[in-house]
């Protein structure tokens, strides 16, 4: 049997660990041939692939990014896209596909499954916003990077009596901001799920200065003030209809300075959160996802995604995985609010 594997959407640490597992168990245990498709759905659309053997995945476990490349190519935007994918997979003799991605990549996987092709999904994203799995890999690494950045910002903020604002990724979910901010001891954490009151943020900041400690504000790129709109970098949409977020941190810094007279600066962590080597947690989770994904292929459990429930890896319908964004519940945010101000 020939099994294809691809990585789509924004990259994240741990993708190579999944590929390694699929290849190692696929070849050694099941005797499959494994083919890696390049750059997400572009690979199957254009018939761009390579054979992966055990040698080709040696040493990739700690490496960030993806040896297969990634893209946000959307077959829905290509004339006859799904038919082309099926033709190219048939031409390559590929019987089943392991698609590693977030909601967009897995949404395509679901349509392909509905169209009769055999796909198993693996959830990845630093945003941790996929329903049906307790965690996606990549998230833990991103949170650790945010935490380390906040630790460093604390000392320079104190030296200069400044407000330092840290803008983090996460799109429309505040998981990275919430966990990074909690782990780093932020003064205020602002999430996309709850609109924020700039005046209240300023009061927290002033209170922190009164206690002779410089405030760190963590703001998610998708956070919005009570009045006004989400700040975006451009109005252009990517092929899945997403706008590029970012800029709320700088906007907030100037508002804070205007309202409190305190010097405020913004640090945008950006793609640093997605780069580099995965944490031990992400390596183990990604490795287990890969092993269970190739088991699902072997069992013919197509149209499913592997997911983490507690400490178990389970199979859930792809539909369940992509139907709903997992955002931060109000009561989880309330836990963090105890530390504000
Ligand atoms: O979904 C992962 C993510 O890193 C988001 O947190 C962020 O908004 C987006 O991707 C950035 O995407 P790109 O690298 O394509 O600009």
């Amino acid at each position: 049997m020939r099994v294809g594997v691809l990585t789509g959407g924004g990259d994240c640490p741990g993708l190579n660990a999944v590929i390694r597992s699929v290849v190692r168990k696929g070849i050694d245990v099941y005797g499959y041939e494994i083919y890696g498709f390049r750059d997400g759905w572009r690979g199957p659309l254009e018939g761009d692939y390579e054979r992966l053997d055990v040698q080709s995945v040696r040493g990739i476990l700690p490496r960030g990014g993806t040896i297969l490349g990634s893209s946000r190519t959307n077959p829905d935007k290509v004339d006859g896209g799904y038919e082309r994918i099926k033709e190219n997979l048939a031409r390559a003799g590929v019987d089943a596909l392991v698609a590693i991605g977030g909601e967009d990549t897995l949404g395509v996987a679901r349509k392909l499954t509905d169209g009769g092709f055999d796909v198993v999904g693996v959830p990845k994203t630093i945003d941790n916003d996929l329903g049906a799995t307790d965690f996606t890999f990549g998230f833990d690494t991103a949170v650790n990077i945010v935490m380390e950045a906040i630790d460093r910002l604390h000392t320079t903020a104190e030296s200069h009596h400044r407000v330092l604002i840290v803008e983090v990724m996460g799109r429309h979910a505040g998981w990275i901001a919430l966990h990074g901010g909690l782990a780093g001891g932020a003064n205020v954490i602002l999430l996309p799920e709850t609109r924020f009151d700039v005046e209240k943020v300023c009061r927290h900041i002033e209170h922190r200065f009164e206690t002779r400690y410089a405030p760190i504000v963590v703001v998610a790129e998708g956070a919005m003030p009570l009045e006004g709109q989400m700040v975006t970098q451009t109005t252009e949409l990517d092929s899945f209809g997403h706008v590029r977020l970012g800029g709320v941190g700088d906007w907030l810094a100037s508002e804070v300075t205007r309202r409190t007279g305190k010097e405020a600066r913004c640090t945008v962590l950006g793609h640093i959160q997605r780069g580099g080597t995965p944490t031990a947690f992400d390596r183990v989770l990604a490795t287990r996802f890969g092993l269970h994904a190739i088991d699902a292929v072997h069992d013919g459990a197509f149209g499913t995604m592997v997911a983490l429930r507690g400490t178990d890896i389970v199979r859930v319908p792809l539909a369940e995985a992509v139907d709903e964004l997992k955002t931060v519940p109000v009561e989880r945010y309330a836990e963090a609010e105890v530390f504000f101000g």
Side-chain angles (χ1 to χ4, degrees), residues 10-11 72 124-127 129 169-171 176 221 238 243-245 271 274:
D11 73 332
R72 296 195 191 276
K124 72 87 228 185
T125 164
I126 62 165
D127 302 340
D129 60 354
M169 283 187 167
R171 207 160 252 161
I176 298 177
E221 61 182 358
D238 71 16
V243 69
R244 204 190 314 157
L245 300 177
H271 291 88
R274 280 199 346 219

Side-chain angles (χ1 to χ4, degrees), residues 281-297:
F281 180 89
D282 280 338
R283 289 183 201 191
V284 173
L285 180 60
T287 296
R288 293 182 71 207
F289 274 162
L291 296 173
H292 284 260
I294 201 73
D295 288 345
V297 169

Side-chain angles (χ1 to χ4, degrees), residues 186-267:
N187 182 209
V188 192
I189 303 170
L190 305 173
L191 310 183
E193 288 84 352
T194 311
R195 282 183 178 255
F196 63 88
D197 178 350
V198 188
E199 265 312 310
K200 213 165 151 190
V201 173
C202 289
R203 283 204 298 278
H204 288 317
I205 286 171
E206 277 164 342
H207 179 257
R208 187 58 68 103
F209 276 118
E210 282 160 23
T211 56
R212 306 182 73 76
Y213 202 58
I216 305 286
V217 178
V218 174
V219 59
E221 61 182 358
M224 276 183 289
L226 271 181
E227 282 137 29
Q229 295 301 311
M230 191 175 292
V231 185
T232 61
Q233 291 185 28
T234 112
T235 48
E236 265 172 49
L237 304 180
D238 71 16
S239 68
F240 283 95
H242 305 297
V243 69
R244 204 190 314 157
L245 300 177
V248 65
D250 276 318
W251 176 83
L252 185 60
S254 61
E255 278 300 303
V256 166
T257 301
R258 191 172 67 79
R259 293 174 193 230
T260 66
K262 300 282 183 199
E263 187 183 5
R265 302 272 189 94
C266 171
T267 300

